[in-house]
Amino acid sequence: ISYAIPLLLLFVIYKTFELEIANYWNQLYYGSKIEIDGSTKYNVDFRHFRNIWTLNYSMLFMTILSLMNIKKIKSQQLSFLNLGLNGLAILFFLSSGLYILSQLGNSYFDQSLAENYNIGISNIVIRYISFGFLAALLWATYQYMKQEWITKFMKMVFEVVLHVSILAVLSSELIHWMDFAGSTQSHKLGLTILWGVYALALIAYGIWKQKQHLRIGGIGLFTLTLAKLFLYDISHLNTISKTIVLVSLGVLLLIISFLYNKYNQKISDEKPA
């Protein structure tokens, strides 16, 4: 009972505001109903706003809960539950949240609903509001990593989640703005170069901080980038784009090779994770 009642209280508090948020956007959605040539239409952006604000609220709730537990409650049992919920909130944002934001952005750029509805700049601004909530949740989770009971494995998992989140947000932003610029190569040339540069940064940071898992992650990301290049990109890129991406990745490979040769002794002295 001592565990069940506080958990029930947290659940009720969370659901209360979550239902209010959903109800607000549902009212706007059904209020946008119009009849055109015998067919019923709604402003589907309101549904996207409902879903993204639910995710934003979830991340805010977990952030506040994390800070309250770290500063006031100081319960290790709640910490494990909180970290699991933080991970789920981040996963849902990276999987569905970024897709919802891209749908809102496309709606603003295409203005496909503008004939019947006012599609404003809020479709773009919501991206950066959501990124702020994600950054706050990652920062709150990082505060947990400073606790004495946190193991090295948990710290390693957090660093992996952090870098996956950063790369996912950067990739989403690249696609978003290259689509806005009218580029057709955002999923090919742009992402391939971005992933290659980020892989190099991970490897360099892993060597500098002597973190084996980051170096291995960087190598894995670069391998994935090369596989994407030869299995997908090459057949869709023109000659100039092929030359740019191949030269860019070749230069990155040379830099990675140089780093491993120069800091070989430092890597050899590195303690295993």
Side-chain angles (χ1 to χ4, degrees):
I1 292 177
S2 63
Y3 288 106
I5 292 178
L7 290 177
L8 180 61
L9 174 63
L10 284 175
F11 178 76
V12 169
I13 293 173
Y14 170 80
K15 287 301 292 184
T16 298
F17 291 98
E18 188 266 341
L19 290 173
E20 284 298 311
I21 292 171
N23 183 57
Y24 171 77
W25 289 106
N26 283 336
Q27 287 182 352
L28 291 178
Y29 173 75
Y30 290 113
S32 68
K33 177 181 176 180
I34 57 175
E35 298 287 342
I36 300 179
D37 298 329
S39 62
T40 303
K41 295 186 179 295
Y42 296 90
N43 186 349
V44 294
D45 280 358
F46 286 138
R47 281 193 169 180
H48 295 320
F49 275 111
R50 178 197 64 191
N51 295 334
I52 197 62
W53 273 112
T54 299
L55 282 172
N56 288 344
Y57 164 68
S58 299
M59 291 190 289
L60 176 63
F61 187 88
M62 299 309 164
T63 299
I64 294 173
L65 181 60
S66 299
L67 297 179
M68 286 182 61
N69 188 38
I70 293 171
K71 301 296 183 181
K72 298 293 183 182
I73 304 174
K74 298 181 179 179
S75 168
Q76 189 169 335
Q77 291 81 4
L78 179 58
S79 298
F80 285 112
L81 175 63
N82 198 180
L83 285 172
L85 293 174
N86 288 1
L88 284 176
I90 293 170
L91 176 62
F92 278 120
F93 180 80
L94 296 181
S95 57
S96 61
L98 290 177
Y99 174 75
I100 294 169
L101 292 174
S102 69
Q103 292 294 100
L104 287 170
N106 291 338
S107 177
Y108 176 78
F109 293 139
D110 297 340
Q111 291 292 310
S112 56
L113 299 173
E115 182 179 350
N116 304 308
Y117 304 104
N118 179 29
I119 309 301
I121 195 65
S122 58
N123 285 46
I124 302 299
V125 174
I126 187 62
R127 291 182 64 85
Y128 304 102
I129 295 175
S130 299
F131 292 161
F133 284 115
L134 175 64
L137 181 57
L138 288 170
W139 176 80
T141 306
Y142 172 71
Q143 300 307 307
Y144 268 125
M145 297 301 108
K146 297 179 180 179
Q147 304 301 304
E148 295 180 356
W149 52 269
I150 293 292
T151 63
K152 289 184 178 179
F153 176 76
M154 295 173 71
K155 291 181 179 179
M156 182 178 70
V157 171
F158 170 74
E159 287 186 331
V160 172
V161 171
L162 175 64
H163 287 288
V164 169
S165 301
I166 294 173
L167 182 59
V169 169
L170 290 177
S171 300
S172 176
E173 278 295 280
L174 178 66
I175 293 172
H176 175 74
W177 289 110
M178 289 190 75
D179 285 346
F180 172 65
S183 173
T184 60
Q185 307 296 332
S186 58
H187 296 77
K188 306 174 184 71
L189 176 62
L191 278 184
T192 300
I193 294 176
L194 172 64
W195 290 3
V197 171
Y198 199 88
L200 172 61
L202 268 182
I203 293 171
Y205 185 73
I207 294 174
W208 177 38
K209 292 294 184 178
Q210 293 187 300
K211 294 185 175 183
Q212 185 185 56
H213 59 281
L214 292 184
R215 288 191 295 104
I216 294 175
I219 293 172
L221 177 59
F222 205 94
T223 302
L224 177 64
T225 304
L226 290 176
K228 175 179 176 295
L229 171 64
F230 290 107
L231 297 179
Y232 177 69
D233 294 348
I234 289 295
S235 60
H236 296 86
L237 294 175
N238 56 41
T239 303
I240 296 177
S241 297
K242 287 178 184 178
T243 303
I244 293 174
V245 74
L246 287 171
V247 170
S248 299
L249 292 181
V251 170
L252 293 176
L253 277 171
L254 288 174
I255 296 174
I256 291 171
S257 176
F258 168 77
L259 291 175
Y260 264 85
N261 283 309
K262 183 174 182 179
Y263 298 101
N264 181 57
Q265 186 60 44
K266 187 174 183 178
I267 294 172
S268 300
D269 295 340
E270 186 179 276
K271 295 180 180 180

